[in-house]
Amino acid sequence: MVNTTDAFMAYLQKEKKYSPHTINAYLNDIANFQSFNKVHFDQNNIEKVNYSQIRTWIVSLVDNDISNVSVNRKISSLKAFYKFLLKIKQIEVSPLLKHKTLKISKKIQIPFSEKEVAEVLTGIQNPSGFEEVRDKLIIDLFYTTGIRRTELIRLKGLDVDFSNNTIKVLGKRNKERIIPVLPIIKEELSLYVFERSSLESIKDKEFLFLTKKGLKLNDSFVYRLINSYFSAVSEKVKKSPHILRHTFATHLLNNGADLNSVKELLGHASLASTQVYTHSSLSELKKVYEDSHPRNKR
């Protein structure tokens, strides 16, 4: 088991090029199932399990109030492992061959309105000092590029190309993409770089966005920043960096951008991932249709 697990980890690192966080999640899921299998079936080797054993684990997870989304993720880890074992001919048939993912209710992500975004940005229209300049730039980058939170955190100074008005982003599975930035964002970037240079101490020099202590930002810091600014103007339940990414895509679609272009900007592997953002643009289209069609005139 140790050998195949090590080989699987190397496969995820070198061939799939997954991030350390993703690899740890996969290995933890596999280890958890292995522990369950040992306790309930007195079996150490999960290469020889059958689907009935896996189903028992699934039932146990659900009984312990693990959400269907989380259960599906854990099963996805197992599927990847057994797919790898098939690849290296360690097994002949995956025990998950006929497994069907658990149904999950689709939660509609409600984007911010153009008015809400404008109100936030107007509130810090003339930022002063390092923190206000940084905060405004972060909000504007989310809204004008659709960048992911982890992508923004990992941005480095060298990723900004002032001559071409672009930023280089390291996305999922370490895939790079180049995103254009608007002239106004270029100005904000220049101002931020100037303010950043005035920090007394910078420990994480390679990263673009820093705290006032010169440290790289983390996920919770960025979440709190977005939540704080948008809580002042919006009563929506979710006020997160992802909602701003969602807002970016929705507003582009509402204003005539084609789906494939939005897909490329977001860094999605397929159009299916981007189509989740179309519900709002369809609502806008329906409104225009109802307001404009002669047959709807009274």
Side-chain angles (χ1 to χ4, degrees), residues 112 138 142-143 146-150 152-153 219-227 230 238-248:
F112 298 118
I138 287 175
F142 276 131
Y143 180 55
I147 195 171
R148 296 181 179 94
R149 174 168 46 175
T150 53
L152 179 134
I153 289 171
D219 285 351
S220 59
F221 181 98
V222 178
Y223 174 84
R224 288 196 305 271
L225 186 153
I226 298 303
N227 186 271
F230 279 87
K238 292 193 70 175
K239 297 176 278 288
S240 67
H242 182 72
I243 295 300
L244 256 184
R245 174 173 161 86
H246 181 68
T247 302
F248 160 80

Side-chain angles (χ1 to χ4, degrees), residues 152-219:
L152 179 134
I153 289 171
R154 291 193 293 183
L155 271 179
K156 298 178 181 177
L158 294 175
D159 293 331
V160 181
D161 187 340
F162 284 100
S163 60
N164 290 312
N165 288 7
T166 61
I167 56 173
K168 181 173 68 175
V169 171
L170 188 64
K172 288 186 176 181
R173 301 185 185 180
N174 290 325
K175 290 184 178 178
E176 289 185 353
R177 70 183 188 281
I178 304 297
I179 304 177
V181 295
L182 299 173
I184 191 171
I185 304 303
K186 180 181 177 180
E187 292 176 14
E188 290 182 21
L189 277 164
S190 297
L191 178 58
Y192 170 73
V193 170
F194 172 77
E195 292 287 347
R196 183 183 182 277
S197 66
S198 67
L199 292 176
E200 290 183 10
S201 173
I202 298 180
K203 295 181 180 179
D204 296 322
K205 294 182 180 180
E206 63 180 315
F207 293 99
L208 179 63
F209 288 108
L210 303 172
T211 67
K212 64 181 179 181
K213 294 182 179 179
L215 300 173
K216 175 188 176 186
L217 304 186
N218 57 47
D219 285 351

Side-chain angles (χ1 to χ4, degrees), residues 226-241:
I226 298 303
N227 186 271
S228 174
Y229 278 96
F230 279 87
S231 290
V233 302
S234 176
E235 295 183 357
K236 290 181 172 65
V237 175
K238 292 193 70 175
K239 297 176 278 288
S240 67

Side-chain angles (χ1 to χ4, degrees), residues 29 33 51 54-79 96 99-104:
D29 291 337
F33 175 62
Y51 181 61
I54 296 175
R55 188 171 57 211
T56 302
W57 183 51
I58 294 173
V59 171
S60 172
L61 292 172
V62 173
D63 286 345
N64 281 286
D65 294 325
I66 305 298
S67 70
N68 284 8
V69 172
S70 295
V71 172
N72 285 340
R73 195 213 73 210
K74 292 176 185 294
I75 296 302
S76 178
S77 298
L78 273 189
K79 272 187 175 180
L96 284 163
H99 172 75
K100 294 182 179 179
T101 56
L102 302 185
K103 291 183 178 180
I104 57 174

